[in-house]
Each structure stands twice: as C-alpha cells, then as structure tokens.
C-alpha cells in the first residue's frame, strides 16, 4: 500500500436541513464565514497538510461549488482593469488546484458519500474533511493527523470533548489515552447519554485507509436510516487498530445556525478590517442586554 496521504475527499452532498431555506438550492458547504465559503477553508487546510488531489462529493446542487473553484475570466478582467490586485490574487489563489467531482445521487449518509469516491482512491490512505466542521484556519489539524498516520500506519480520527447532553449528536469513542492520541476500543453513532462510553466526539477530520471501502460496500443503514461512517469504522476496528486525536483548538459546527454565527463572530474578530467595528457593535449590544 502507498503510504503518503495525497488525496482528500470533501463530502458536500448532504441535504443541510438544519440550514433551510438557505440550503434549498445551494450546498451548505458554500455558506461563507466572513468572505470565504466553508469548503474553501477546508481546501486550504488540506493544501497546508500537503494534499495534492481533491475529490468533492456533490449532490444535486453541485454547480455553485464547481463554479467557485473554476477560473472567472470576466471577473478577473474587471479586477485587473480597476487595479484591484489584492482581490485578484485572492480569487486566483486556487487556480492551480485540480478537483474531481463525484455525484452522490441520493444522500444516503456520510459512509455512502465516501464510498462514492472509491473509483478515485486505489491502494492509498486518504483524508476526509467535513467542511461544516470549522476550525481555526491557522491551526494545522490535518497536517498533525497526517503525521500521526505516518507513525501508526492506521486510520486516525479527530476527537473533541463535548458536553454530555450533546453526545447523542455525534459518533462517540471509547479508548485508551496516551498524550493526545487514543487507541480506540469502540465507536458508537449518536448514543443516548446514559449509553455513551465517553464524551469524546468524532469530528469532521479523518485519515482513512482503503480497506474501509470493503466494509462500506456491505454496510447496512444505521442511525437515522443513513449509511454511517462510524458504523463502518466500528467494523474495521475488528480487523485493525484505529487511533483518535484530541484536537487542540476551537471547533464550530457551522452546519448548525448558532455554531455558524459563533464562527462568523470569532473569524470577524480576527479580521483586521472588521475587528474594531464589530467589537464596538458588540459592546453596544451587550450594554442593551443589561
Ligand atoms: P451532516 O449530517 O452534517 O449534513 O453531514 P447534512 O445531512 O447535510 O445536514 P443536516 O443534518 O440535514 O442539516 C456531514 C457531512 O457529510 C456530507 C454533508 O454534506 C456534510 O459535509 N454528507 C452527508 C454527504 O455528502 N452525503 C450524505 O448523504 C450525508
């Protein structure tokens, strides 16, 4: 098996029901945090982890994503003529990146979305990023996970501690801890709090090995009637070790409205053009609450 992680799968075919009506005709991965769509943050994180090939799983609303990563000649011309060099640089930044698009015809679940990429991944490890799990753009999470993969030569899953009353929204693991790395002994999708083996939740960054496809091939639907990646990983765990990596920084569930608003505020506060105005506005707002 090839040992270098060169590919990333970016699933973007979910229905995004928590964000309707915004996601009725446009994928939630195109929602912007400040001025950049979620999926672009994910692509940039992958680039800084050394990823070279990008496979996007799209659903019925694929056009917006394809257009976003395509060249935009008329816009470029206009920016050039009006001397807006900085913006021009920004929109051209990913022009050399090549994307493959695969259609998931029906949103049967994350496990199924990943299975759809099988023809593009042969005997090599690959990364998966769920763009709606937003992290600090300066934090090289995927790069750290690639490093752990290189040591362990086994799948690595990002983890975060969540409040106990939220464990039923996540895949939850049990495992033995050594520093920030866990040797996983069990995984369970969306357990009730009294059934959860821990409050360590799986979040949207994975380094997987191609043997996951053999498991996904015959995976039955699980929680919510969807083909769950967590169930497939549980099956894979019978055959090989799987590791968890406790992330260091903040993470926002931008597929959820409140999580999205929090991410927007935090990212805006770190943006030199917006920080001062936003801080001032927030002070006024907080004063109103008193
Ligand atoms: P989520 O469960 O967060 O997304 O999937 P969702 O189903 O679109 O959102 P809600 O719960 O209805 O609001 C996590 C990731 O997996 C992708 C989603 O696009 C998202 O990036 N996904 C999910 C697929 O690509 N296909 C699926 O069948 C399901």
């Amino acid at each position: 098996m090839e040992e270098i992680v060169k590919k990333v799968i970016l699933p973007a075919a979910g229905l995004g029901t928590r964000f309707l009506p915004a996601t009725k005709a446009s994928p939630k991965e195109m929602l912007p945090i400040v001025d950049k769509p979620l999926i672009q943050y994910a692509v940039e994180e992958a680039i800084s982890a050394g990823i070279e090939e990008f496979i996007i799983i799209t659903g019925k609303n694929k056009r917006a994503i394809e257009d976003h990563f395509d060249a935009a000649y008329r816009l470029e011309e206009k920016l050039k003529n009006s001397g807006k060099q900085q913006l021009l640089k920004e929109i051209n930044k990913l022009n050399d990146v090549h994307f493959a698009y695969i259609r998931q015809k029906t949103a049967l679940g994350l496990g199924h979305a990943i299975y759809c990429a099988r023809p593009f991944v042969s005997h090599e490890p690959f990364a998966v990023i769920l763009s709606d799990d937003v992290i600090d753009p300066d934090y090289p999470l995927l790069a750290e996970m690639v490093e752990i993969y290189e040591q362990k030569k086994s799948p690595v899953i990002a983890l975060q501690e969540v409040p106990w009353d939220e464990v039923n929204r996540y895949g939850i693991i049990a495992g033995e801890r050594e520093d920030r790395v866990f040797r996983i002994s069990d995984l369970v999708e969306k357990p009730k709090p009294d059934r959860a083996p821990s409050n360590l939740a799986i979040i949207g960054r994975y380094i997987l090995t191609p043997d996951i496809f053999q498991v996904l091939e015959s995976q039955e639907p699980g929680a919510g009637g969807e083909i769950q990646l967590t169930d497939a990983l549980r099956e894979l765990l019978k055959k090989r070790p799987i590791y968890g990596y406790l992330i260091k920084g903040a993470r926002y569930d931008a597929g959820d409205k409140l999580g999205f608003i929090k991410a927007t505020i935090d990212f805006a506060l770190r943006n030199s053009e917006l920080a001062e105005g936003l801080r001032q506005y927030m002070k006024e707002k907080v004063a109103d609450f008193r």
Side-chain angles (χ1 to χ4, degrees), residues 240-257:
R240 67 178 307 155
I242 299 180
Y243 293 90
Y245 179 62
L246 194 59
I247 73 164
K248 288 174 192 151
R251 166 208 152 253
Y252 310 85
D253 178 4
D256 165 79
K257 283 176 230 174

Side-chain angles (χ1 to χ4, degrees), residues 59 63 65 162 187 202 210 215 236 254 276 286:
R63 254 197 33 214
I65 297 180
V162 296
L187 307 97
I202 301 172
V215 183
L236 189 64
E276 194 38 51
V286 171

Side-chain angles (χ1 to χ4, degrees), residues 10-20 23 27-29 39 56-59 104 106-114 116 128-133 169 189-190 204 206 226-228 253-256:
L10 299 151
L15 299 178
T17 49
R18 286 170 295 162
F19 238 111
L20 282 168
T23 44
K28 87 173 150 191
E29 288 73 12
I39 196 160
I56 301 186
I57 312 296
T58 58
Q104 184 190 22
T106 315
L108 296 178
L110 176 59
H112 180 260
I114 289 168
C116 292
V128 175
I129 299 185
L130 307 186
S131 314
D132 53 348
D133 259 340
R169 298 191 204 164
E189 182 65 24
K190 301 190 171 68
Y206 307 78
E226 295 195 343
I227 298 177
Q228 299 286 357
D253 178 4
D256 165 79

Side-chain angles (χ1 to χ4, degrees), residues 147-276:
E147 253 176 54
I148 296 165
Y149 171 79
E150 282 165 1
Q151 289 161 22
K152 306 282 189 192
K153 305 281 187 263
S154 279
V156 184
I157 300 170
L159 302 173
Q160 189 185 40
E161 276 187 69
V162 296
W164 277 93
D165 61 353
E166 289 180 14
V167 290
N168 59 351
R169 298 191 204 164
Y170 295 91
I172 298 290
I173 68 117
E176 228 167 86
R177 182 172 183 171
E178 195 181 300
D179 200 8
R180 304 195 78 82
V181 177
F182 287 76
R183 168 110 186 216
I184 294 177
S185 56
D186 199 9
L187 307 97
V188 38
E189 182 65 24
K190 301 190 171 68
K192 295 209 171 82
D194 58 341
R195 294 275 180 94
S198 76
N199 63 340
L200 289 163
I202 301 172
I203 63 148
R205 304 288 182 283
Y206 307 78
I207 308 290
L208 300 177
T209 45
D211 43 5
I212 193 74
F213 291 122
Q214 281 132 40
V215 183
L216 284 169
E217 195 167 17
S218 52
Q219 188 67 51
E220 296 290 330
E226 295 195 343
I227 298 177
Q228 299 286 357
L229 179 60
T230 308
D231 295 342
L233 288 166
R234 187 172 209 234
E235 207 48 41
L236 189 64
L237 189 62
K238 294 178 185 162
K239 298 178 196 143
R240 67 178 307 155
I242 299 180
Y243 293 90
Y245 179 62
L246 194 59
I247 73 164
K248 288 174 192 151
R251 166 208 152 253
Y252 310 85
D253 178 4
D256 165 79
K257 283 176 230 174
L258 187 58
F260 181 86
I261 292 166
K262 287 179 183 172
T264 302
I265 291 172
D266 281 4
F267 279 41
L269 285 172
R270 300 163 88 216
N271 178 307
S272 57
E273 279 175 32
L274 301 174
E276 194 38 51

Side-chain angles (χ1 to χ4, degrees), residues 19-64:
F19 238 111
L20 282 168
T23 44
K24 188 176 167 215
S26 174
K28 87 173 150 191
E29 288 73 12
M30 284 302 294
L31 291 170
I33 303 279
V34 181
D35 55 6
K36 215 188 273 182
L38 297 174
I39 196 160
Q40 186 172 340
Y41 287 104
V43 167
E44 291 175 3
E45 183 186 340
I47 291 171
S48 48
I51 300 289
E52 293 168 8
E53 293 174 50
F54 298 80
I55 302 155
I56 301 186
I57 312 296
T58 58
K60 64 181 169 55
N61 305 314
K62 70 171 185 169
R63 254 197 33 214

